[in-house]
Amino acid sequence: MVIGRVHGTVVSTTKSEKLEGLKLLVVMPIEIDTFKEKGQPIVCIDSVGAGEGEVVMCVAGSSARQTAITDNKPIDNTIVAILDHVDWKGKRVYEKYKV
């Protein structure tokens, strides 16, 4: 699993028929220690209705094909959760909603 931030969308009018109707998002991985973006962006199928700027959890490989909308489709990365907060080593490193 990878934690990342959604930074954009990918639009493709010509694609495999098994990908028709699926939303593609660009996700930048986040380093859990520093909660800073690191590495190369990845393109993920959105299975949870994520939007730009949200922090999400992504799965890859066969796990990416285990959601209701990705079952038996040619997919390698899927967003499976929108994160509300992340606690790391006793400290809250991310919180979606500040109270």
Side-chain angles (χ1 to χ4, degrees), residues 20-55:
E20 294 286 334
L22 298 179
K23 185 165 92 173
L24 301 165
L25 296 175
V26 179
V27 176
M28 191 67 182
I30 291 174
E31 190 73 36
I32 192 76
D33 289 353
T34 62
F35 222 72
K36 294 186 190 242
E37 295 174 359
K38 184 176 182 182
Q40 297 296 313
I42 54 177
V43 176
C44 299
I45 297 295
D46 178 22
S47 73
V48 295
E52 185 135 1
E54 290 190 293
V55 174

Side-chain angles (χ1 to χ4, degrees), residues 31-35 83-99:
E31 190 73 36
I32 192 76
D33 289 353
T34 62
F35 222 72
L83 304 184
D84 294 320
H85 68 264
V86 176
D87 294 336
W88 174 253
K89 296 183 177 180
K91 180 181 173 191
R92 183 145 299 172
V93 294
Y94 168 75
E95 188 163 10
K96 182 176 183 176
Y97 304 108
K98 303 260 184 193
V99 181

